[in-house]
Structure formats: structure tokens, C-alpha cells
């Protein structure tokens, strides 16, 4: 549902807007209304609507002044439809210059209002899809950058990239937080955007690049002391814990969550991120062994002897790295027997180490974590099988080994689903699929599901093969098809718009002119 706020100083207009429009049926939810511009501004700030319908002449702030104030103070900026009792083009022109998507003259025509609402909904949805595509690519890049740093890579190029992506000034203090969401399997349709919004609000972050998903319910937040709300003391951890206690996990598609707060570092940017990342890994291990600790702050924990228990405790030696690497390398290969052997070897070495039950659990959690990182890096969604395995570790189930093998086999099959085809052929198939279905209700997510690949990979393939972003390429194909219809058939413009795959006539006109330089009517006269 798209949120809408109604603003008009005439009660009869507000009442009519409620009565004559089936808001829910059109995909809108009225989240507030006000009778003047001044009262509407804090309401818009609080409710963050996608659309505001307001009168142009009101006490306090008029409609044009309200748009200007909202544009200057609220991100993302909602769309506006302006209502006026005056058929004065100068008002409409000014409103459109400020970004309004519609201008209606009173008394309102119900069908015209519905048409404007449909057009506004399409504009909002198209802009949202384009923005989401760009944001997914940026966040995927942020996660890759983080993994490179944690993997030990160092270069001046990587340093510049980190500063640019996270907007980190020279000599800034850096702190990182890991938020772990235990997905509610009965409510897993909730979009991750809600969690992103929650984290940005909790940490006072305006740069969306500073919050990214690292796979299997784990989100990383990068903070630095040039941010307005930056704080890294114990008081901040207490405030965060208090805020989280007031949150209902089910509202965000979670059954539970944990927040791990690292300490601040003022080293070189790459070393600071690496140091903070290592703190989060230590906190993560502790939290898996103490799941009752919902908010864990490194500065408050690092002097606790229990917190410093490590894989070597009580055995005199650190558990070797090799079994972990063998499992991951087998998953990256193309032999199922090697996967089974790697899992067998891992559990053989684990049993042979003779460690305590606590140490045994740490190694299994670590196995889950290295596999989680590998799956996300390769674009494989494996949250459910990873969660099933880690829950068996919680319960010390005798089926741990079987569930580990099931988890690895699932990931291996996903990893090799398209390996029988050369990558170039698979890329060509994806582009062919888009060309064949461009006039349907096509999205990155639907293509991703069809090819069992993550949406961000589909987006990269489209950019690589066509030089355009997905939405730009989709519009290009639709406009090209519309051009052939104008040249080969005597069809009305509205019919061509529908045939080309557009549900919003106004958006079709806008895109047609953008790609051809002329309006559809001019093109039709010239070439039909």
C-alpha cells in the first residue's frame, strides 16, 4: 500500500476525497489529513507518505510553499498532486516545476482524480524500482568491499573505494554494528527494506550505503564520527537496547534479533574496518553461545574472562583451518562426492580433537558462518538450511552431521544449477528472456526466480550486455515495440501504450519522448 496524506482547508473536500475514492482498491492508504499547510508539515515528516494531495491556497503555508519546504527537509521526497479552485496555468506550471506529478481544478471530477492517482502510483512504483535496483547494486558492492578487507586485501584503490562508498573523512573514528535477524518462516514475505529503514532510524544514518546485507539474516552498519548522531560509549549501547525492547520483531518479518556493537577505531580506514569486523566475529561467536544476550557491546565485554574463551581453550591447540577450507572449496567445485568427503573429514577431525561440548559448538557455528559468507558472495540464498543446521547445534542434536551434509548438498546444487552452460550462453538466455517478455509485468525479482540467480546478478548481467540499467533497458524495448506498432498498424496511442506493456498512459508518453525526442502523436504522423 502507498501511504497518502490529504491536506485541504475545506472540510467538504476532505470528506469528498474519503467518500468518492476506493483508496484501498487503488493501492493507497490514507495515513493522515490536515486542514492547513503548517499543520501538514510535521504530519508528513512523521508518516513519510509516498503521495500528498493538497490544496494550493491554504492558511499558514500554501501548497507551493509546502512543496518547497518538504523538498528541502524530507528524504525521500513524496509526490504531490495539487488541487486548486483556480484554472490558472501559472500555478500549475510552478507546481510542476517544483516536482508535483498532477494538478486538478475544483470542483473535482472523480474519474479525472482516479486517473491522476493511477498515474502517480505508476510513477512512484517505477521510480522505486529504479532506485531499488541501484541501491541493491551499491549494497552488494559494499558487502564485497567488506569481505575483501576482512579477507586481508589491501591497496590504495580499496582504501579510496571504502572512503567514497561509506563517505568516511580522513582520520575519522569508525565503529561497526552487526544486526542479526532470525527470519520468521511464517512471515518471510516481509521485505528487507523495513529492516534497512529500522536500522537507519536507530543509528541516525542518512547514507544508505552504510547499511548492507551480508547474508543469512545478517546486516552490517558502518558508522563514523562525522555522522550527526554518532556515539560509541556505553550510554549509546544502553539507549539502543532500550529502543530495541520497544520493537515487535514480527512487524519486520523476524522471530528474534541480536545487535552486536563493536568499539570505535581511529586507525587507517582499512585497518579500522578490519579491526571492527574482527570484534563483530568475536561477538557473534559469543552471542551464538549465549543467545539470551540480545545486545552485546564489545567495550563492556572484552575484559570478561568468559568472553575470551577461544577455540584453543582447554585443548592446548587451535583447531586447524584445513577442514573449513576443504568444505568451502568442495562447495565451489563440481563434484558432489567431494562435498560428502569434505563433510566427513570435517566431523572426523572435530571428533578427533577431543574438545569440550562448548568447543564443539563453537566449531560448528564457525562452519555455518564460513559457509554463510561463501553463499552470499556467490549469490545463493540459503538462510533456511543454515538456520536449520545452527538450530541443531543449539540443541546438540545427534543429526548435526546429517543436517550439515544436507545443507552442503543444497548449496552445492544451487551453485551448480547453471554450470552445465557456459556463462556467456546463460547471459544470452537472460537477455533473450527479457526481450521475449518485455511487454509483460517483468521485474528483476521475477527474472531472478526464473533463473535461480540473485536479482543483483541479473542486474549486473543486463548492464554488462546492454550498457543500460534494467529499467532503462525494459523501457527501451517497450518503446522500440511501440515504434513498430505505429509504423505497421493504425492504432490509437492509448492502445499502443497498452500493447507495449504500459499501464500508465502518461508514463508511456514521457518515456516515448525521452527515447525518441518526439511525442507519440508526432511520431505517428511522421511514420505511419
Amino acid at each position: 500500500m502507498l501511504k497518502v496524506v490529504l491536506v485541504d482547508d475545506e472540510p467538504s473536500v476532505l470528506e469528498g476525497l474519503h467518500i468518492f475514492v476506493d483508496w484501498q482498491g487503488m493501492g493507497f492508504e490514507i495515513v493522515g489529513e490536515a486542514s492547513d499547510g503548517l499543520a501538514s508539515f510535521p504530519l508528513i515528516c512523521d508518516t513519510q507518505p509516498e503521495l500528498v494531495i493538497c490544496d494550493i491556497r491554504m492558511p499558514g503555508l500554501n501548497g507551493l510553499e509546502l512543496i518547497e519546504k518538504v523538498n528541502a527537509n524530507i528524504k525521500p521526497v513524496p509526490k504531490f498532486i495539487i488541487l486548486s479552485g483556480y484554472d490558472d496555468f501559472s500555478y500549475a506550471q510552478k507546481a510542476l516545476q517544483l516536482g508535483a506529478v498532477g494538478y486538478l481544478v475544483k470542483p473535482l471530477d472523480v474519474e479525472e482524480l482516479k486517473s491522476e492517482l493511477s498515474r502517480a502510483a505508476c510513477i512512484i512504483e517505477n521510480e522505486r524500482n529504479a532506485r531499488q535496483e541501484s541501491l541493491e547494486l551499491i549494497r552488494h558492492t559494499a558487502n564485497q568491499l567488506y569481505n575483501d578487507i576482512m579477507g586481508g586485501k589491501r591497496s590504495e584503490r580499496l582504501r579510496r573505494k571504502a572512503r567514497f562508498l561509506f563517505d568516511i573523512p580522513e582520520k575519522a573514528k569508525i565503529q561497526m554494528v552487526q544486526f542479526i535477524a532470525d527470519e520468521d518462516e511464517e512471515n518471510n514475505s516481509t521485505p528487507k527494506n523495513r529492516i534497512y529503514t529500522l536500522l537507519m532510524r536507530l543509528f541516525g544514518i542518512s547514507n544508505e550505503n552504510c547499511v548492507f546485507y551480508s547474508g543469512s539474516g545478517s546486516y552490517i552498519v558502518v558508522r563514523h564520527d562525522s555522522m550527526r548522531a554518532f556515539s560509541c560509549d556505553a550510554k549509546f549501547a544502553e539507549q539502543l537496547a532500550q529502543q530495541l525492547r520497544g520493537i515487535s520483531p514480527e512487524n519486520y518479518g523476524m522471530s528474534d534479533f541480536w545487535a552486536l556493537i563493536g568499539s570505535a577505531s581511529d586507525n587507517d580506514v582499512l585497518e579500522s574496518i578490519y579491526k571492527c569486523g574482527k570484534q563483530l566475529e568475536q561477538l557473534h561467536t559469543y552471542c551464538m553461545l549465549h543467545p539470551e544476550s540480545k545486545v552485546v557491546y564489545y567495550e563492556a565485554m572484552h575484559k570478561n574472562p568468559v568472553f575470551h574463551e577461544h577455540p584453543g581453550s582447554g585443548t592446548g591447540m587451535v583447531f586447524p583451518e584445513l577442514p573449513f577450507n576443504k568444505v568451502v572449496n568442495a562447495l565451489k567445485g563440481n563434484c558432489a562426492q567431494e562435498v560428502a568427503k569434505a563433510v566427513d573429514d570435517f566431523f572426523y577431525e572435530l571428533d578427533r580433537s577431543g574438545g569440550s561440548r562448548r568447543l564443539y559448538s563453537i566449531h560448528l557455528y564457525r562452519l555455518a558462518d564460513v559457509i554463510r559468507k561463501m553463499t552470499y558472495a556467490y549469490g545463493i540464498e540459503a538462510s533456511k538450511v543454515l538456520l536449520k543446521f545452527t538450530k541443531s547445534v543449539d540443541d546438540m542434536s545427534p543429526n548435526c552431521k546429517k543436517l550439515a551434509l544436507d545443507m552442503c548438498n543444497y548449496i552445492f546444487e544451487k551453485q551448480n544449477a547453471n554450470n552445465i552452460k557456459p556463462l556467456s550462453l546463460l547471459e544470452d538466455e537472460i537477455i533473450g528472456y527479457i526481450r521475449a517478455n518485455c511487454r509483460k509485468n517483468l521485474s528483476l525479482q521475477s527474472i531472478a526466480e526464473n533463473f535461480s540467480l540473485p536479482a543483483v546478478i541479473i542486474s549486473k548481467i543486463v548492464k554488462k550486455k546492454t550498457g543500460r540499467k534494467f529499467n532503462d533497458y525494459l523501457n527501451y524495448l517497450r518503446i522500440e515495440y511501440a515504434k513498430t506498432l505505429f509504423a505497421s498498424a493504425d492504432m490509437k496511442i492509448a492502445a499502443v501504450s497498452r500493447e507495449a506493456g504500459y499501464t500508465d498512459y502518461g508514463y508511456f508518453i514521457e518515456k516515448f519522448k525521452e527515447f525518441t525526442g518526439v511525442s507519440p502523436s508526432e511520431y505517428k504522423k511522421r511514420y505511419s
Side-chain angles (χ1 to χ4, degrees):
M1 286 285 179
L2 299 176
K3 295 182 290 183
V4 60
V5 166
L6 308 178
V7 188
D8 202 296
D9 60 346
E10 297 181 50
S12 59
V13 174
L14 290 175
E15 185 179 357
L17 287 171
H18 276 280
I19 293 172
F20 295 115
V21 178
D22 178 8
W23 294 96
Q24 188 170 4
M26 296 194 71
F28 288 94
E29 175 191 5
I30 297 175
V31 293
E33 59 182 66
S35 58
D36 64 74
L38 277 177
S40 71
F41 181 72
L43 176 65
I44 294 168
C45 292
D46 289 342
T47 58
Q48 294 287 304
E50 283 82 18
L51 179 66
V52 177
I53 300 176
C54 74
D55 192 11
I56 202 161
R57 290 200 175 185
M58 299 179 293
L61 287 175
N62 65 38
L64 299 180
E65 291 169 337
L66 178 62
I67 297 177
E68 288 181 318
K69 188 169 184 178
V70 167
N71 286 349
N73 293 278
I74 299 177
K75 302 295 180 191
V77 179
K79 300 299 181 186
F80 278 80
I81 293 177
I82 292 290
L83 311 180
S84 176
Y86 304 88
D87 189 6
D88 186 334
F89 180 69
S90 63
Y91 283 122
Q93 189 177 39
K94 179 65 173 174
L96 295 174
Q97 286 172 351
L98 291 172
V101 296
Y103 185 96
L104 297 172
V105 178
K106 299 177 184 177
L108 297 177
D109 179 276
V110 174
E111 291 307 314
E112 188 178 1
L113 172 62
K114 289 179 180 178
S115 175
E116 284 296 295
L117 287 172
S118 295
R119 194 171 75 84
C122 285
I123 291 171
I124 292 167
E125 191 62 32
N126 285 321
E127 287 188 1
R128 179 186 286 175
N129 289 340
R131 181 175 173 276
Q132 188 61 35
E133 180 186 358
S134 297
L135 196 52
E136 283 180 11
L137 281 169
I138 290 170
R139 285 173 168 160
H140 186 75
T141 301
N143 183 63
Q144 286 182 322
L145 172 67
Y146 177 65
N147 287 336
D148 285 344
I149 294 170
M150 296 308 297
K153 290 185 179 180
R154 299 291 184 271
S155 69
E156 184 56 35
R157 181 175 177 273
L158 202 64
R159 186 173 288 104
R160 289 197 304 269
K161 189 175 181 181
R163 287 200 182 282
F164 174 77
L165 198 60
F166 302 128
D167 195 22
I168 301 174
E170 290 284 347
K171 298 180 180 179
K173 280 187 178 180
I174 295 172
Q175 181 194 43
M176 295 201 314
V177 180
Q178 184 173 7
F179 185 84
I180 304 168
D182 193 349
E183 185 182 68
D184 184 351
E185 294 189 21
E186 294 182 0
N187 190 25
N188 59 13
S189 62
T190 303
K192 290 184 173 64
N193 285 344
R194 288 193 192 178
I195 298 178
Y196 281 125
T197 303
L198 169 68
L199 295 179
M200 291 180 68
R201 176 170 61 82
L202 287 174
F203 297 106
I205 292 175
S206 57
N207 182 356
E208 293 177 307
N209 305 356
C210 292
V211 184
F212 57 89
Y213 187 63
S214 62
S216 300
S218 181
Y219 298 78
I220 302 293
V221 180
V222 180
R223 309 171 74 229
H224 45 84
D225 60 4
S226 63
M227 291 178 171
R228 186 175 56 183
F230 180 84
S231 173
C232 59
D233 55 16
K235 187 177 179 181
F236 162 70
E238 292 169 7
Q239 289 172 343
L240 178 62
Q242 186 175 356
Q243 287 178 292
L244 288 172
R245 280 194 289 271
I247 289 171
S248 300
E250 60 273 11
N251 291 341
Y252 298 89
M254 303 180 288
S255 58
D256 211 341
F257 54 76
W258 295 263
L260 317 178
I261 308 169
S263 62
S265 172
D266 56 2
N267 296 335
D268 166 80
V269 61
L270 299 184
E271 293 310 316
S272 289
I273 291 174
Y274 181 80
K275 177 184 174 182
C276 294
K278 284 298 180 184
Q279 290 175 357
L280 294 182
E281 288 180 3
Q282 195 173 358
L283 290 170
H284 194 182
T285 300
Y286 176 84
C287 202
M288 285 189 291
L289 295 169
H290 300 275
E292 71 281 358
S293 304
K294 299 301 178 189
V295 178
V296 186
Y297 181 39
Y298 187 84
E299 284 298 321
M301 295 293 300
H302 77 284
K303 294 179 181 178
N304 187 330
V306 175
F307 182 67
H308 282 281
E309 290 184 6
H310 54 80
S313 300
T315 65
M317 61 180 294
V318 176
F319 191 61
E321 291 288 331
L322 188 60
F324 295 101
N325 294 338
K326 276 187 176 178
V327 174
V328 172
N329 289 336
L331 289 174
K332 293 177 182 178
N334 55 12
C335 178
Q337 287 77 15
E338 286 297 320
V339 174
K341 184 177 184 305
V343 173
D344 274 337
D345 289 348
F346 177 87
F347 277 88
Y348 172 76
E349 293 288 345
L350 182 58
D351 293 335
R352 199 165 67 92
S353 67
S356 65
R357 175 173 173 172
R358 181 184 182 82
L359 182 60
Y360 196 90
S361 296
I362 287 175
H363 295 322
L364 292 178
Y365 282 130
R366 188 175 175 199
L367 174 67
D369 197 47
V370 297
I371 290 176
R372 175 186 67 81
K373 290 176 181 175
M374 174 257 170
T375 57
Y376 191 69
Y378 278 71
I380 301 168
E381 179 51 56
S383 299
K384 289 185 179 179
V385 292
L386 280 160
L387 183 61
K388 194 171 183 180
F389 173 66
T390 53
K391 283 185 174 178
S392 75
V393 179
D394 292 341
D395 303 334
M396 285 307 293
S397 166
N399 291 326
C400 268
K401 181 177 178 180
K402 178 184 178 301
L403 290 172
L405 183 58
D406 289 347
M407 171 180 66
C408 291
N409 283 336
Y410 173 87
I411 293 165
F412 177 81
E413 288 171 8
K414 286 287 184 182
Q415 168 68 8
N416 286 274
N418 292 305
N419 278 359
I420 56 173
K421 299 174 183 176
L423 182 59
S424 59
L425 182 58
L426 187 61
E427 290 176 346
D428 289 340
E429 278 193 22
I430 290 169
I431 298 301
Y433 179 84
I434 295 171
R435 294 181 70 89
N437 295 278
C438 64
R439 289 174 287 133
K440 297 178 182 177
N441 186 19
L442 207 57
S443 68
L444 273 175
Q445 193 57 45
S446 64
I447 302 167
E449 290 171 2
N450 187 73
F451 285 91
S452 299
L453 290 170
V456 70
I457 301 299
I458 300 294
S459 182
K460 284 188 171 185
I461 288 171
V462 173
K463 179 71 173 177
K464 173 188 171 184
K465 298 292 287 185
T466 71
R468 303 174 189 265
K469 291 183 178 180
F470 170 73
N471 277 305
D472 291 339
Y473 184 57
L474 189 62
N475 278 309
Y476 164 75
L477 293 175
R478 288 174 172 176
I479 297 303
E480 286 297 304
Y481 183 74
K483 286 162 64 177
T484 65
L485 290 180
F486 282 132
S488 60
D490 184 17
M491 296 174 65
K492 292 183 177 179
I493 295 174
V496 170
S497 171
R498 289 192 298 271
E499 282 294 313
Y502 289 95
T503 55
D504 173 25
Y505 179 73
Y507 187 69
F508 167 70
I509 300 293
E510 177 189 329
K511 287 298 169 184
F512 193 93
K513 192 166 184 178
E514 178 184 320
F515 279 92
T516 66
V518 296
S519 68
S521 57
E522 290 176 284
Y523 189 92
K524 185 178 180 182
K525 287 176 185 175
R526 191 180 301 176
Y527 295 104
S528 61

